[in-house]
Amino acid sequence: MSRRGAPMTRRAVRWLDERSATAPLLRKTLRYLFPDHWSFLLGEVALYAFMVLVATGIYLTFFFVDSTREVVFRGDYYPALYGQRMSEAYASVLHLSLAVRAGLLIRQTHHWAANVFLAAIVLHLFRVFFTGAYRKPRELTYWLGVTMLMLSLLEAYIGYSLVDDLMSGMGLVIGYSVGLSLPFVGQNLMNWLFDGMFPGSPKLWPRMYIAHVLIFPILIGLLLGAHLLLVAMRHHTQFRRKKAQSERTIVGIPAFPGQAPRSLGLMVGTAGVLFLIGGLVQINPIWLWGPFHTYSSTNGAQPDWYLGWLIGALRLVPSFDLTIGHYTLLPNPFWGGAAFPLVVFGFLYFWPWLERRFTGDQAFHNLLDRPRDAPVRTGIGVAMVSWVFLVFLAGASDRVDVTLGIGYAPQIWVYRVVVWVLPVVFGLVAWWTCKELQAGELVLRDRHEAEQEARLTRMRHGAERPGDPDALES
Amino acid sequence: MRAVLTLAFAVALLLVPGAADAGTPHGTPKEPLAAYGYHLYGQYCLACHGGNAAGRYDEPSNATGEGPGREQGQQGGIGPSLHGVGALAADFYLRTGYMPLRHLGLQPRRRPVLFSDHQIKALVAYVATFGGPAIPTPKPALGSLSQGQALFTEHCAGCHQVLAQGGYVKGGLPPDLMQATARQVAEAVRIGPYVMPRFSQRALSDRQLDSIVRYVQFTHAPTRPGGWGLGYLGPVPEGLVTWFLAIPALLVLCLLLGRRLSR
């Protein structure tokens, strides 16, 4: 296509090949056919947000101090906290946000990037789920993806806990109590992780720091590499473009010069959007929250959106503990904080297997379904999404009370019912809609076929009776 | 004629609740301002707070409760006694528009003030005749912002949110403090309206209170490096920005860049 582009690349490939003998691989890479549909770019957005996270994160490490040693804040750039006792960690983030050049821009971009990263993963997951992209032979790719989602949630949670401001401290309390609620192992596990009871020993912060900047990023990076490698080796899935397209033909646009500029543009664009809101919209203004002390708290503290579903669940579960005699087997936070995410992730992990089990479909699939092509899957998916979403909404019910005046307690009771009823309704509606869409298409196809048949007959008749104007038309 | 008048008076007594059990009348205060207050009290407050401002405890409070029905947290009657609450409480409840309460059984909320400044002074003077603390004069300039931040976080943020944006607690809605004046903050702390605890001089000294007032004033317009403040509520609006601003922008990008190249 681009005349001037080709020799240039060829020269570059040759240069590399002479030094690395990778020409065949490179050529293959450049000729790799990418599916030509925008929804395949969602995963890329997540990838670029991850890159922004790593890049901005590295800058933040230059200034962050991973210590809970108590210091007195002496930053005259922020009088509202001047002279207060706080951890060195929090003081370092204050300094980084308010006194370091570009520190706030980078910190805000880092945090927005985390929000967007998880949102993009979720959208990518929706695309993969509702089109059946996870089916054989791509279950591994899918499981890696779900695992990355889970790791990213933890990584983000540790990230904003590190700051040690009032909100993060309260978040840590909740995380700790959920951890404690795990049956049998909870107590020991949390003691081991925190190196003692809450709020932990001085070892806790360095541990969280290493987890946040080294262990989790590397894990995610490795899984990401494997994820992308598997995608390439099994090749992308694609939508059916023509009726006759088989599972074996690959259509799309080549890596170069088709997809590469597109991806580059998306990378620059994603980074651009992230830095733009990082510079224009405040996120987690930690200097306003103040330091965390075990005796202080704030009304309406919330986690970031991607953990909001867990807060919603913690609120919805009626308060009861499962006890055997005097032994509390399952303390209350277990249901909302541990059982609920376990069910959701369990569903995600087992779904490909469940589907194969129930449809008996063992075939390879390179062509994607449209959501309507698999009404049952779409229905179940919609039900699951609305279930989690409604629980998520319940997490904001206190704010709804404050701003709209709808009582908190009645809201919670309504949610307790609605959370079970509406997903079923939505799922059925989705299923029915798919069926209707399919039926509509069948009608169209039938009509089309009937018309064609009629035309053929007319043509045959026309051959017998020349001069028929209709016959000439076709 | 006289019989008719007597009858009318009797009916009025029956209709105006509280008028009948008015106890020993304290009588019209001598001081003209307080006397005017007494007059207004009879018109607007008597029905709930009873004759002599001694309170009315004759009916359960939620008898006339309407709407979502927040329970009247503390007292069992219709309106509490105003003996000893002083000019301080009267000033607070009237200038916030909390009183006169519209519906029994509901938490007093900020409303447009019904009375003129003169009328409020009169009512305050009347309530003050029953004793109690005077209206405080906080001096936020003498307080320390940082100490105020720390004290507010320790004592108030659990209900009012760290940046005084309000919130939900069991039994009531701690309001945001965006409209609270310095004087009202000082008054509220000493009263403890509704489910809010009362803070004595021992719990919070006047100087500490000055710091708190200063901090509350700071929350009306916090320093905001970093751009658009999103209401100082934390992650909820941030999630909204993520999903309704950042993600749509990126989706548009995907749609534009992902336009079909092949046919």
Side-chain angles (χ1 to χ4, degrees):
Chain A
M1 200 164 60
S2 69
R3 277 269 165 67
R4 266 179 292 127
M8 171 66 183
T9 24
R10 195 164 301 151
R11 257 184 292 145
V13 170
R14 189 176 306 137
W15 188 91
L16 247 180
D17 184 39
E18 284 162 3
R19 285 152 187 85
S20 63
T22 46
L25 186 68
L26 270 173
R27 205 169 298 129
K28 220 177 142 191
T29 309
L30 292 181
R31 289 207 184 130
Y32 182 92
L33 282 182
F34 278 87
D36 195 11
H37 191 271
W38 68 270
S39 66
F40 286 82
L41 297 178
L42 294 171
E44 280 189 39
V45 171
L47 171 67
Y48 304 137
F50 181 69
M51 290 179 179
V52 171
L53 275 167
V54 172
T56 51
I58 289 173
Y59 187 75
L60 297 180
T61 62
F62 299 162
F63 307 100
F64 180 74
V65 182
D66 61 337
S67 148
T68 40
R69 195 170 62 88
E70 193 172 87
V71 294
V72 174
F73 181 62
R74 294 275 175 233
D76 46 11
Y77 44 83
Y78 196 60
L81 297 177
Y82 190 86
Q84 287 197 29
R85 290 171 303 114
M86 57 180 66
S87 70
E88 218 174 350
Y90 180 54
S92 76
V93 184
L94 281 176
H95 181 76
L96 143 75
S97 305
L98 300 172
V100 168
R101 197 169 291 252
L104 185 56
L105 171 69
I106 300 293
R107 212 197 104 229
Q108 293 200 148
T109 305
H110 188 73
H111 202 142
W112 281 121
N115 275 11
V116 165
F117 176 55
L118 281 148
I121 296 182
V122 168
L123 287 178
H124 176 57
L125 173 63
F126 285 173
R127 197 273 292 169
V128 165
F129 184 89
F130 286 107
T131 59
Y134 54 80
R135 286 173 300 175
K136 193 170 161 187
R138 291 182 185 77
E139 298 98 323
L140 259 183
T141 324
Y142 169 81
W143 285 326
L144 286 176
V146 175
T147 310
M148 276 192 283
L149 172 59
M150 210 162 58
L151 290 177
S152 305
L153 287 175
L154 281 171
E155 166 74 342
Y157 172 67
I158 300 175
Y160 68 74
S161 295
L162 272 175
V163 180
D164 203 22
D165 61 317
L166 180 61
M167 299 269 188
S168 87
M170 291 176 67
L172 214 52
V173 173
I174 296 179
Y176 182 76
S177 66
V178 168
L180 275 190
S181 78
L182 293 175
F184 310 116
V185 294
Q187 184 85 43
N188 291 328
L189 179 74
M190 289 332 264
N191 271 353
W192 175 67
L193 280 177
F194 277 63
D195 193 39
M197 303 278 284
F198 190 84
S201 82
K203 286 195 192 130
L204 175 61
W205 242 251
R207 282 182 185 180
M208 294 202 321
Y209 191 41
I210 279 297
H212 184 72
V213 302
L214 194 76
I215 299 174
F216 278 88
I218 285 187
L219 265 178
I220 294 175
L222 285 177
L223 295 189
L224 185 60
H227 187 74
L228 295 180
L229 207 68
L230 279 176
V231 168
M233 282 177 2
R234 290 277 81 185
H235 210 278
H236 275 83
T237 49
Q238 52 198 347
F239 282 112
R240 190 190 293 271
R241 280 290 199 63
K242 300 186 193 78
K243 226 195 293 169
Q245 191 171 333
S246 83
E247 292 276 1
R248 313 195 136 265
T249 43
I250 293 168
V251 295
I253 55 168
F256 196 88
Q259 182 73 12
R262 187 186 258 180
S263 292
L264 255 166
L266 192 59
M267 180 162 88
V268 174
T270 306
V273 168
L274 290 177
F275 273 91
L276 206 65
I277 49 170
L280 293 178
V281 190
Q282 206 177 62
I283 186 164
N284 200 16
I286 47 109
W287 55 91
L288 295 178
W289 309 147
F292 174 69
H293 299 291
T294 40
Y295 53 80
S296 52
S297 69
T298 174
N299 199 314
Q302 292 274 3
D304 276 11
W305 75 264
Y306 40 81
L307 293 176
W309 54 305
L310 302 182
I311 290 301
L314 285 170
R315 285 197 179 160
L316 285 185
V317 177
S319 57
F320 68 93
D321 297 326
L322 205 69
T323 50
I324 301 174
H326 287 296
Y327 179 68
T328 306
L329 182 64
L330 293 176
N332 195 256
F334 173 78
W335 304 106
F340 178 54
L342 230 59
V343 168
V344 172
F345 274 98
F347 168 81
L348 286 172
Y349 277 112
F350 282 108
W351 176 253
W353 176 80
L354 279 175
E355 189 184 55
R356 237 178 347 191
R357 187 71 205 274
F358 284 103
T359 56
D361 177 4
Q362 303 286 348
F364 276 72
H365 291 282
N366 293 320
L367 284 177
L368 293 175
D369 285 335
R370 293 166 310 163
R372 72 181 70 166
D373 298 331
V376 173
R377 176 202 301 143
T378 305
I380 292 178
V382 165
M384 273 314 269
V385 172
S386 44
W387 188 48
V388 175
F389 182 71
L390 285 166
V391 173
F392 170 85
L393 276 189
S397 39
D398 59 330
R399 266 292 128 194
V400 170
D401 190 349
V402 173
T403 43
L404 304 179
I406 307 168
Y408 174 81
Q411 270 191 73
I412 291 296
W413 277 107
V414 168
Y415 275 119
R416 280 179 184 159
V417 177
V418 152
V419 149
W420 300 109
V421 176
L422 277 188
V424 176
V425 174
F426 289 155
L428 285 175
V429 167
W431 173 83
W432 177 81
T433 311
C434 292
K435 284 276 185 205
E436 286 297 303
L437 285 172
Q438 275 186 353
E441 275 179 350
L442 275 184
V443 169
L444 276 184
R445 194 192 310 156
D446 282 353
R447 184 185 300 159
H448 191 72
E449 272 167 16
E451 271 170 10
Q452 220 141 36
E453 212 162 290
R455 210 172 279 162
L456 279 177
T457 0
R458 241 180 288 140
M459 255 171 43
R460 252 179 258 126
H461 281 291
E464 288 161 17
R465 282 193 289 114
D468 187 343
D470 280 351
L472 288 178
E473 183 199 283
S474 49
Chain B
M1 186 64 193
R2 170 160 269 179
V4 175
L5 266 183
T6 320
L7 189 67
F9 189 55
V11 169
L13 273 181
L14 284 177
L15 285 181
V16 179
D21 57 314
T24 42
H26 184 77
T28 323
K30 293 204 185 57
E31 207 240 320
L33 191 62
Y36 179 41
Y38 171 76
H39 170 71
L40 289 169
Y41 180 88
Q43 223 174 328
Y44 294 102
C45 326
L46 183 76
C48 294
H49 289 287
N52 241 345
R56 282 194 57 203
Y57 303 99
D58 47 327
E59 285 175 48
S61 70
N62 51 0
T64 51
E66 286 174 18
R70 292 190 197 297
E71 275 147 14
Q72 195 73 51
Q74 297 159 322
Q75 68 284 328
I78 293 176
S81 157
L82 301 183
H83 291 200
V85 302
L88 182 146
D91 183 68
F92 173 81
Y93 273 87
L94 289 168
R95 288 191 195 275
T96 47
Y98 280 14
M99 290 291 143
L101 196 65
R102 299 292 158 83
H103 296 286
L104 269 181
L106 294 187
Q107 173 183 351
R109 309 295 302 263
R110 217 169 240 281
R111 293 201 193 280
V113 179
L114 274 187
F115 305 104
S116 71
D117 188 53
H118 181 64
Q119 288 173 319
I120 289 182
K121 282 187 178 136
L123 276 166
V124 168
Y126 174 64
V127 173
T129 61
F130 298 100
I135 297 171
T137 40
K139 298 188 188 63
L142 297 183
S144 138
L145 180 58
S146 178
Q147 189 195 36
Q149 200 279 345
L151 288 169
F152 191 88
T153 310
E154 186 178 342
H155 297 294
C156 325
C159 290
H160 289 287
Q161 197 256 6
V162 260
L163 285 157
Q165 300 295 321
Y168 166 86
V169 292
K170 204 159 192 288
L173 288 183
D176 69 65
L177 304 184
M178 294 305 109
Q179 297 174 62
T181 63
R183 189 154 102 193
Q184 286 164 358
V185 175
E187 288 168 344
V189 167
R190 296 293 180 226
I191 301 168
Y194 210 57
V195 296
M196 175 167 157
R198 174 167 179 276
F199 296 87
S200 64
Q201 297 272 357
R202 196 131 34 88
L204 285 175
S205 73
D206 278 344
R207 180 49 54 82
Q208 287 178 318
L209 189 51
D210 286 339
S211 297
I212 289 184
V213 171
R214 177 153 177 200
Y215 176 71
V216 172
Q217 287 175 336
F218 165 84
T219 63
H220 294 175
T223 39
R224 44 187 249 193
W228 185 23
L230 299 182
Y232 311 109
L233 285 172
V236 174
E238 288 163 11
L240 292 177
V241 167
T242 304
W243 280 98
F244 293 104
L245 221 82
I247 287 294
L250 290 169
L251 280 181
V252 167
L253 205 64
C254 286
L255 282 166
L256 286 177
L257 288 169
R259 254 186 321 196
R260 233 177 227 189
L261 297 174
S262 56
R263 271 195 37 87

